Amino acid sequence: MSRIRIEIHGIVQGVGFRPFLHRLARRLNLTGWARNIPAGVELELEGPGQALEAFRTALTREAPPLAVVEEVLVTPLAGSAGYTDFAIRPSAGTGGDTLICPDLAPCPACLRELADPTDRRYRYPFINCTDCGPRFSIVRDLPYDRARTSMAGFVMCPDCDAEYHDIESRRYHAQPNCCPVCGPRAFFLDAQGKEQPGDPIALAQAALAAGQIVAVKGTGGIHLACDAGNDEAVLRLRRRKNRPDKPLAVLCRDLDAVCRLCLVSEAEADLLESPRRPIVLLQKRNPAPDPLSANDRLGVMLPYTPLHILLADTSAGGPDTLVMTSANLSGCPVMVDNQEALRGLAGVADGFLLHDRPIQNRCDDSLVGLWEGQLCFYRRSRGYVPQPVTLPWDLTGLVAMGAEQKASFAVGRGHHAFPSQHIGDLKNAETLDHYRTALDRYLTLFGVWPAAFVCDLHPDFFSTREAEARVGALPLLRVQHHWAHMAACMADNNLEGKAFGILWDGTGLGTDGTIWGGEFLTGDYNDFERRGSIRPILLPGGDAATVEIGRIALSLLTDAGLDPGDAPLPSAKVRAVAAMLRQSALCPRASSMGRLFDGLYALIAGCGKTSYEGQGPALLEAMVRPGEPGRYYPVAFALADGLRVFDTRPLVRGVVADLHRGISHAAIARGILDTLCRMAVNQCAVLNREKYPVVLSGGVFFNRYLLTGITRRLRRAGFPVLTHHRVSPGDEGLCLGQLAIAAARLPRKGEQDVSCRSAEDPLH
Ligand SMILES: [Zn+2]
Ligand SMILES: [Zn+2]
């Protein structure tokens, strides 16, 4: 007989780890106990040496699907403690040491029961167990038990209660455990909100098959669904939702249905089928624009709840591929409440498939893709949050407020950074409200007492104002936007020391009071230096130009000394905007790569307006066709105040000349992207002679052609290149950089002499 103590570090809380340990110990006839500790899980085991060895092996090999075992520390103990059974003990340490599991798709065992006519949960849309089901979306408070979740109102029936207390059951200590007798129920309502008699799933399927639009309540929010194969229905949905162009995501019944629409690699199939069930961005089989997506890619997911599985199951007929788009009013967060949906979607939805389990935490679908075999995030939300990102520094008490348009925040505890779910644009009052509620919820759930706040340098961002409202006497750091992007990519890769950042995005306030967005910085978490940028673009009418991108085209033409008549604007508008530019009144300057893309796209496509942020860069990328001959436009730089600035004018002249010459749009688009890649590498060669690792961040790097082109060229030139893989390169991931900078800049406990900057003293 031997006795050992094991400490397991990693993501081992809130993922069914202790019940797993319990079952494992029983199987191997080991006695002892397990409990959560701040660092993970601790246990003591007693039994024959061979069985203990088997336990250690199985620990990592058989761990629950979402557990991440990072470290296992084993200490031999002297003598026997005389344990007679295996017990789960109360958590050690103060509250808030636990992690909460993301919402997970049904596990194989639950799927078997769902399809088994003899099972008491046959076709039950809320089936779950310790390995699967809703988690984050139903938690209100800690500790995580039923009374503090959406399941509080559903009292377990004797059968469910027996499972809950039976260690041999898959539902041992499964907080959302339920069945048709005691659990939530689904129902179908017509357009007037009147409940319809009959099987709600069958009613919804019939409505979808008839081309109707159905609101479907999922895990973290309500979707609008329609038959993706019915163009008329899709266009009607676009019209009613006022979403003319932005690509729509689809939910496919199974992998076969996905493969009919898209090309799917093995790794992409794994991602689609993972219990996190994100929307995966895939290459369309037919790259031509269609009602679902105007570019060559499509976001696809597999059903992520039992309800969606039943809905997309076409054994009884009906469509097996459904458009699934968040149900929200323009600019507002996704709806979560039944009454809100019935009111807000009147005239939009023809029917409602809802249920009576409340959603505590609003959480949109995640959007991911694979790049060079690595995961990259476009939106890190359902299935991933609220799992932390582990960083090498102590982050305790740090609260990072993020940016504004693609807002998300992060709170720190120990080495864990907890980035929030996707929030949205804070300029919308409801979204700001959601941001505040979600922040309060995170602070509660993770037991974080704020010690310092960190926000963007922009004084008018609602996230900045929120920081100011909350900070009180605590330190507040204001961090320049692109420095935060750079730090985010460094932290994403656990990089210490200095880096060279290529930070390209839409807009962020610079330290000189102008708008930046085509930046080349050198720095670390303590400080940075702006080394290079691009020639500023005048934005006639400010924000109006980000929607009416024809104005940016006109600005580029004027700057390059070309005929303003080439701008895709009505002639009266051309005169008005040209006058604005001459007086440079109401024309903020932006050295922004995102705006350059908008302007160039407007010139090529002859399109004066966009309907969603990032449309220009995305569609310019989509214009490139494989096999097109390459071409380069001139790359010129100017030195101004020590800053090496890319001159956009020769590029604009080259593009306009090619347009007049009738060169194909595909060739011009590729030429622009290749030229910008060459420009980036040239800047790096000149400005990064120290050969610091290069980090690429900012929303422009959603453009894969650029990401690939710059990465490959830089590596060929001998530079180590790091990209994002744990958070998004866009503004959503920026809070991670703010957190890392705050960890470096703020005084830690026990250090007195580090100067603490007041709220009035911006960092840069
Ligand atoms: Zn299950
Ligand atoms: Zn029950």
Short mmCIF file of all heavy atoms in Angstrom, two decimals, residues 33 54 61 178 232 234 242 267 276 279 295 343 367 412 470 481 516 541 552 647 664 696 723:
data_model
loop_
_atom_site.label_atom_id
_atom_site.label_comp_id
_atom_site.label_asym_id
_atom_site.label_seq_id
_atom_site.Cartn_x
_atom_site.Cartn_y
_atom_site.Cartn_z
N TRP A 33 -9.30 11.39 -1.42
CA TRP A 33 -10.21 12.52 -1.64
C TRP A 33 -9.66 13.44 -2.73
O TRP A 33 -8.48 13.37 -3.08
CB TRP A 33 -10.42 13.31 -0.35
CG TRP A 33 -9.13 13.70 0.34
CD1 TRP A 33 -8.51 13.03 1.35
CD2 TRP A 33 -8.30 14.84 0.04
NE1 TRP A 33 -7.34 13.67 1.71
CE2 TRP A 33 -7.20 14.79 0.92
CE3 TRP A 33 -8.38 15.88 -0.88
CZ2 TRP A 33 -6.18 15.74 0.90
CZ3 TRP A 33 -7.36 16.84 -0.89
CH2 TRP A 33 -6.29 16.77 -0.01
N ALA A 54 -1.47 3.31 -12.63
CA ALA A 54 -2.54 3.27 -13.63
C ALA A 54 -3.38 4.54 -13.56
O ALA A 54 -3.82 5.08 -14.59
CB ALA A 54 -3.42 2.04 -13.40
N ARG A 61 -4.84 10.54 -20.09
CA ARG A 61 -5.34 9.86 -21.28
C ARG A 61 -6.87 9.92 -21.38
O ARG A 61 -7.43 10.02 -22.45
CB ARG A 61 -4.86 8.41 -21.28
CG ARG A 61 -5.00 7.74 -22.64
CD ARG A 61 -4.37 6.37 -22.64
NE ARG A 61 -2.91 6.43 -22.51
CZ ARG A 61 -2.16 5.38 -22.24
NH1 ARG A 61 -2.70 4.21 -22.03
NH2 ARG A 61 -0.85 5.51 -22.16
N CYS A 178 -31.77 17.00 -16.29
CA CYS A 178 -33.23 17.13 -16.38
C CYS A 178 -33.77 16.11 -17.37
O CYS A 178 -33.00 15.40 -18.03
CB CYS A 178 -33.61 18.53 -16.83
SG CYS A 178 -32.94 18.98 -18.44
N GLU A 232 -35.10 32.54 -52.22
CA GLU A 232 -36.16 33.52 -51.94
C GLU A 232 -36.27 33.76 -50.43
O GLU A 232 -36.37 34.91 -49.98
CB GLU A 232 -37.50 32.98 -52.44
CG GLU A 232 -38.17 33.84 -53.48
CD GLU A 232 -39.37 33.09 -54.04
OE1 GLU A 232 -40.42 33.11 -53.37
OE2 GLU A 232 -39.23 32.46 -55.11
N VAL A 234 -33.93 33.26 -48.22
CA VAL A 234 -32.71 33.92 -47.75
C VAL A 234 -32.79 35.42 -48.03
O VAL A 234 -32.47 36.25 -47.17
CB VAL A 234 -31.45 33.30 -48.40
CG1 VAL A 234 -30.20 34.07 -47.99
CG2 VAL A 234 -31.32 31.83 -48.03
N ASN A 242 -32.70 43.77 -42.60
CA ASN A 242 -31.90 44.89 -43.06
C ASN A 242 -30.41 44.56 -43.02
O ASN A 242 -29.60 45.26 -42.45
CB ASN A 242 -32.19 46.15 -42.21
CG ASN A 242 -31.58 47.38 -42.84
OD1 ASN A 242 -31.28 47.39 -44.04
ND2 ASN A 242 -31.36 48.40 -42.03
N ALA A 267 -8.65 18.70 -40.64
CA ALA A 267 -8.53 19.55 -39.45
C ALA A 267 -9.76 20.43 -39.29
O ALA A 267 -10.22 20.68 -38.17
CB ALA A 267 -7.27 20.40 -39.55
N ARG A 276 -17.03 22.33 -28.91
CA ARG A 276 -17.23 23.78 -28.83
C ARG A 276 -18.13 24.29 -29.95
O ARG A 276 -18.71 25.35 -29.87
CB ARG A 276 -15.89 24.51 -28.91
CG ARG A 276 -14.90 24.08 -27.85
CD ARG A 276 -13.61 24.87 -28.00
NE ARG A 276 -12.52 24.31 -27.21
CZ ARG A 276 -12.29 24.60 -25.94
NH1 ARG A 276 -13.08 25.45 -25.33
NH2 ARG A 276 -11.29 24.06 -25.29
N ILE A 279 -18.63 28.43 -35.47
CA ILE A 279 -18.81 28.62 -36.90
C ILE A 279 -17.41 28.60 -37.50
O ILE A 279 -16.53 29.32 -37.03
CB ILE A 279 -19.48 29.98 -37.20
CG1 ILE A 279 -20.86 30.06 -36.57
CG2 ILE A 279 -19.55 30.22 -38.71
CD1 ILE A 279 -21.51 31.43 -36.69
N ASN A 295 -18.60 36.63 -50.96
CA ASN A 295 -17.21 36.26 -51.24
C ASN A 295 -17.05 34.75 -51.34
O ASN A 295 -18.04 34.03 -51.40
CB ASN A 295 -16.25 36.92 -50.25
CG ASN A 295 -16.47 36.45 -48.83
OD1 ASN A 295 -16.60 35.25 -48.57
ND2 ASN A 295 -16.56 37.38 -47.90
N ARG A 343 -41.83 40.59 -29.26
CA ARG A 343 -42.05 42.01 -29.55
C ARG A 343 -41.15 42.48 -30.68
O ARG A 343 -41.60 43.03 -31.68
CB ARG A 343 -41.75 42.85 -28.31
CG ARG A 343 -42.93 43.18 -27.42
CD ARG A 343 -42.58 44.32 -26.47
NE ARG A 343 -41.24 44.25 -25.92
CZ ARG A 343 -40.92 43.56 -24.82
NH1 ARG A 343 -41.86 42.91 -24.16
NH2 ARG A 343 -39.68 43.54 -24.38
N LEU A 367 -16.64 32.50 -34.22
CA LEU A 367 -16.28 32.38 -35.63
C LEU A 367 -14.78 32.16 -35.71
O LEU A 367 -14.00 33.00 -35.24
CB LEU A 367 -16.70 33.66 -36.37
CG LEU A 367 -16.36 33.74 -37.86
CD1 LEU A 367 -17.03 32.61 -38.63
CD2 LEU A 367 -16.79 35.08 -38.43
N GLY A 412 -8.40 39.80 -14.83
CA GLY A 412 -7.28 38.92 -14.51
C GLY A 412 -7.38 38.34 -13.12
O GLY A 412 -7.86 38.99 -12.18
N ARG A 470 -15.74 53.72 -13.06
CA ARG A 470 -15.55 52.64 -12.09
C ARG A 470 -14.28 52.79 -11.27
O ARG A 470 -14.14 52.17 -10.22
CB ARG A 470 -15.49 51.29 -12.82
CG ARG A 470 -16.82 50.78 -13.30
CD ARG A 470 -16.66 49.50 -14.11
NE ARG A 470 -17.93 49.08 -14.70
CZ ARG A 470 -18.60 47.99 -14.32
NH1 ARG A 470 -18.13 47.20 -13.38
NH2 ARG A 470 -19.74 47.68 -14.90
N HIS A 481 -3.87 52.56 -28.68
CA HIS A 481 -4.59 51.47 -29.34
C HIS A 481 -3.67 50.44 -30.03
O HIS A 481 -3.80 49.22 -29.82
CB HIS A 481 -5.51 52.11 -30.38
CG HIS A 481 -6.54 51.21 -30.95
ND1 HIS A 481 -7.76 51.01 -30.35
CD2 HIS A 481 -6.54 50.45 -32.07
CE1 HIS A 481 -8.47 50.18 -31.08
NE2 HIS A 481 -7.75 49.82 -32.14
N TRP A 516 -4.53 56.79 -36.19
CA TRP A 516 -3.53 55.87 -36.72
C TRP A 516 -4.22 54.60 -37.20
O TRP A 516 -5.37 54.34 -36.89
CB TRP A 516 -2.52 55.49 -35.64
CG TRP A 516 -1.66 56.60 -35.11
CD1 TRP A 516 -1.72 57.93 -35.45
CD2 TRP A 516 -0.63 56.48 -34.12
NE1 TRP A 516 -0.78 58.63 -34.73
CE2 TRP A 516 -0.10 57.77 -33.90
CE3 TRP A 516 -0.10 55.41 -33.39
CZ2 TRP A 516 0.93 58.01 -32.99
CZ3 TRP A 516 0.92 55.64 -32.49
CH2 TRP A 516 1.44 56.93 -32.30
N GLY A 541 -15.78 64.35 -43.93
CA GLY A 541 -16.97 64.08 -43.14
C GLY A 541 -16.72 63.09 -42.01
O GLY A 541 -17.67 62.63 -41.37
N ILE A 552 -13.71 58.38 -49.60
CA ILE A 552 -12.28 58.07 -49.40
C ILE A 552 -11.60 57.93 -50.75
O ILE A 552 -10.48 58.40 -50.95
CB ILE A 552 -12.11 56.78 -48.56
CG1 ILE A 552 -12.85 56.94 -47.22
CG2 ILE A 552 -10.64 56.49 -48.32
CD1 ILE A 552 -12.80 55.70 -46.34
N ASP A 647 4.32 56.13 -48.97
CA ASP A 647 3.59 57.09 -49.80
C ASP A 647 2.55 56.34 -50.63
O ASP A 647 2.90 55.53 -51.49
CB ASP A 647 4.58 57.82 -50.71
CG ASP A 647 3.92 59.00 -51.42
OD1 ASP A 647 2.67 59.07 -51.42
OD2 ASP A 647 4.65 59.84 -51.97
N SER A 664 -7.76 43.46 -65.50
CA SER A 664 -8.84 42.81 -64.73
C SER A 664 -8.79 43.23 -63.27
O SER A 664 -7.72 43.47 -62.71
CB SER A 664 -8.72 41.29 -64.83
OG SER A 664 -7.75 40.82 -63.93
N LEU A 696 2.10 40.46 -35.86
CA LEU A 696 1.10 41.00 -36.78
C LEU A 696 -0.25 41.05 -36.06
O LEU A 696 -0.73 40.04 -35.58
CB LEU A 696 0.97 40.11 -38.02
CG LEU A 696 2.25 39.78 -38.78
CD1 LEU A 696 1.95 38.92 -40.00
CD2 LEU A 696 2.98 41.06 -39.21
N THR A 723 1.82 35.38 -34.95
CA THR A 723 0.46 35.83 -35.24
C THR A 723 -0.46 35.38 -34.10
O THR A 723 -0.03 34.67 -33.20
CB THR A 723 -0.04 35.25 -36.57
OG1 THR A 723 -0.03 33.82 -36.46
CG2 THR A 723 0.85 35.66 -37.73
#
